[in-house]
Amino acid sequence: LNPANTYNVKSLVAGKVLTSSFEEGDIVEEGTVLYTVDSSDATTKAEQASIALQQAQRSYDKTADRQYVRAEVAGVVSALKVAKGDEVTSGQEVAVIRDSSKMVLRLEFPAADAATFSVGQSAEVTLDGTFETLTGTVTAVTGTDALSTGNLLTRTVTIAVQNAGGLTTAQAATASINGVSSIGSATFGYQAERTLTAQAAGTVTSIHVQEGQTVAENDILIELSGDDLTESIQSASETLRSAEISLQNLQDTMANYTVTSPISGTIIEKDAKVGDAVKSGDTLCVIYDLSYLEMTLNVDELEILSIKEGQNVTITADAISDRTFTGVVTSVSKAGTTAGGTTTYPVTIRIDDTGDLLPGMNATAEIVTESADNVLSVPNAAITRGNYVLVTKDSPSAANADDSMTAPDGYVYVKVETGVSDDDYIAITSGLTAEDTVAYDSSYSTTTLAGEGVQLVMDGGDMGGGPGGAPGGGGPGGGQ
């Protein structure tokens, strides 16, 4: 007898057993934590792999972005220096972006006064030539003094002025802050101006903007392509994927440091305890699923065709002599094994009501292949070759005697049809009645019962006692 399922729980990692809160004989449910193994080394490796993945991701993003020229600031495209189809080199200037929404003045103020200025402070800006005044805002003040012409200590103050559209870099202006005037005038500058360059060599495959178009920071202006660029992106992609796989493998391995029960069952063996150092592949414990038992029979080829799934089986065990158990055929294998000229086929039987049965016990199974209830039957020895039965001449069925058969005095042979049989009885489906008296040789069956000295046993009256619990037959009825 075998358990429904046997599982040898093995360690998939190496380490020291930290916990193990069960003992032999305990019943555990599927998913119950059986062991935890020290995972400190694996945790460190996983952290290192995570860092390597982040680095690979940044490298890939940077490499992949080399195929684009992006706006470094928001503004207006003031110049495009390439056209679609042009070949460019790495570092070549391709576009210029200016942010003229605000214009910037950088003016010198007396150092003593400028030291009292602060960022965000209002300034009055006066345009040269028109003397138009505008409001500006202090955005920066240098922290150190500088010596200007005339040996005057000064500091540079940066003032931003909102541009309604009329200010250009050719316009000059002065400013005053808190009543303190700047030392001289200066021309306006753009709030931001960037000359964009190609990050890689390649061919211009697409231009997404036109000169004079307003763009936002990080917008794509130009796309590039090329064999070297494609190869470097592919290489970075493969490195990134390798880092992802390495981290995933380590994360999967981390789960192996917590060992759970793969099935619900009973702990049969506990091979590792707290403090033990285990290696990958070591058996930690053995679990049996005892929800039912199984046994496998090797059935002869002459009988295998009569075995079907679902047939009932009567089980007896050597160790439990006072009880029989019921099983059912669950599998009939088509993979036969030949030994000594005989082929057998494995047949699996399941026993749900196991009682006191235990795995490892020796048991015998009897499979009921056919059955018949309440049928007329005779002993197997009463059937001669050709399916003839010897009956007394005064039996009702003697009227159907086969005159070509030579029978002992007072008897005739009757042709019958047979059905289900077991080791002792065979069912008669036609040719006899329950009132017939049958004679047969108790030791063997033959068609030459007319010789001298043949001992005959007669069964008569209520014939039966065959398979399936049919009514019992009459006893022996004299001899001749």
Side-chain angles (χ1 to χ4, degrees), residues 16 33 35 42 60 79 107 138 209 231 280 298 333 335 338 349-350 360 387 429:
K16 181 180 179 181
V33 175
Y35 293 93
Y60 170 77
L107 297 169
V138 176
V209 295
E231 184 177 346
S280 178
N298 292 316
S333 175
T338 302
I349 296 168
R350 171 171 170 158
N387 281 7
T429 59

Side-chain angles (χ1 to χ4, degrees), residues 359-405:
M361 284 186 174
N362 294 315
T364 301
E366 183 179 271
I367 302 175
V368 179
T369 58
E370 289 183 276
S371 65
D373 295 326
N374 300 317
V375 295
L376 186 69
S377 61
V378 298
N380 289 336
I383 304 298
T384 64
R385 285 175 295 178
N387 281 7
Y388 285 95
V389 174
L390 191 66
V391 300
T392 59
K393 285 186 176 182
D394 58 0
S395 296
S397 296
N400 301 320
D402 187 338
D403 296 333
S404 66
M405 300 285 291

Side-chain angles (χ1 to χ4, degrees), residues 335-346:
T337 300
T338 302
T342 300
T343 301
T344 59
Y345 295 83

Side-chain angles (χ1 to χ4, degrees), residues 18-357:
L18 300 180
T19 66
S20 173
S21 56
F22 68 92
E23 299 298 335
E24 289 185 4
D26 286 355
I27 297 175
V28 296
E29 297 297 324
E30 181 179 354
T32 300
V33 175
L34 302 176
Y35 293 93
T36 57
V37 181
D38 183 13
S39 62
S40 54
D41 289 345
T43 300
T44 300
K45 292 179 180 178
E47 291 176 352
Q48 293 171 340
S50 178
I51 294 171
L53 175 60
Q54 295 172 20
Q55 293 172 338
Q57 182 68 63
R58 289 194 296 270
S59 177
Y60 170 77
D61 292 343
K62 183 177 180 179
T63 302
D65 203 54
R66 291 172 62 199
Q67 63 189 311
Y68 305 114
V69 177
R70 298 178 182 272
E72 296 178 4
V73 294
V76 175
V77 178
S78 62
L80 283 172
K81 299 185 177 184
V82 293
K84 184 177 179 179
D86 287 354
E87 296 290 333
V88 299
T89 59
S90 178
Q92 180 178 332
E93 295 181 358
V94 294
V96 177
I97 294 179
R98 292 171 179 165
D99 181 1
S100 60
S101 60
K102 288 183 179 180
M103 301 298 280
V104 176
L105 273 176
R106 292 181 173 82
L107 297 169
E108 300 293 324
F109 282 83
D113 295 310
T116 65
F117 299 163
S118 60
V119 174
Q121 193 169 358
S122 179
E124 185 179 89
V125 177
T126 302
L127 301 182
D128 288 356
T130 64
F131 300 102
E132 180 184 354
T133 60
L134 302 172
T135 301
T137 304
V138 176
T139 59
V141 179
T142 56
T144 58
D145 298 341
L147 189 62
S148 68
T149 56
N151 294 323
L152 179 66
L153 292 176
T154 63
R155 290 191 180 187
T156 302
V157 178
T158 303
I159 301 170
V161 179
Q162 196 72 33
N163 186 8
L167 298 179
T168 68
T169 55
Q171 178 68 57
T174 59
S176 65
I177 302 172
N178 283 344
V180 179
S181 298
S182 60
I183 302 172
S185 64
T187 56
F188 284 99
Y190 295 111
Q191 177 176 249
E193 182 176 25
R194 295 288 189 279
T195 299
L196 307 181
T197 60
Q199 299 182 65
T203 302
V204 177
T205 57
S206 181
I207 297 178
H208 296 277
V209 295
Q210 297 177 342
E211 289 185 358
Q213 182 175 334
T214 300
V215 294
E217 184 179 356
N218 212 40
D219 279 355
I220 295 175
L221 277 60
I222 299 170
E223 288 188 36
L224 305 174
S225 67
D227 292 342
D228 291 345
L229 185 57
T230 300
E231 184 177 346
S232 62
I233 293 174
Q234 180 64 29
S235 177
S237 175
E238 291 169 353
T239 301
L240 174 60
R241 182 56 183 155
S242 177
E244 290 173 341
I245 293 172
S246 296
L247 178 59
Q248 185 62 56
N249 288 340
L250 285 170
Q251 290 174 337
D252 292 343
T253 299
M254 287 295 296
N256 295 330
Y257 286 88
T258 300
V259 182
T260 59
S261 178
I263 60 173
S264 297
T266 303
I267 302 295
I268 301 301
E269 293 180 14
K270 182 177 181 179
D271 299 301
K273 61 184 184 300
V274 173
D276 286 351
V278 296
K279 303 185 297 297
S280 178
D282 284 355
T283 298
L284 304 178
C285 63
V286 179
I287 303 174
Y288 279 0
D289 176 3
L290 299 177
S291 58
Y292 62 90
L293 295 177
E294 283 187 338
M295 62 187 300
T296 301
L297 306 178
N298 292 316
V299 178
D300 189 274
E301 61 185 310
L302 300 179
E303 299 174 322
I304 192 63
L305 295 181
S306 64
I307 307 298
K308 308 293 181 185
E309 291 183 9
Q311 289 174 333
N312 289 329
V313 184
T314 300
I315 311 292
T316 56
D318 297 345
I320 307 174
S321 58
D322 59 345
R323 182 182 171 187
T324 60
F325 301 85
T326 300
V328 64
V329 175
T330 57
S331 174
V332 181
S333 175
K334 293 180 173 58
T337 300
T338 302
T342 300
T343 301
T344 59
Y345 295 83
V347 174
T348 303
I349 296 168
R350 171 171 170 158
I351 309 162
D352 288 307
D353 183 10
T354 58
D356 294 328
L357 294 176

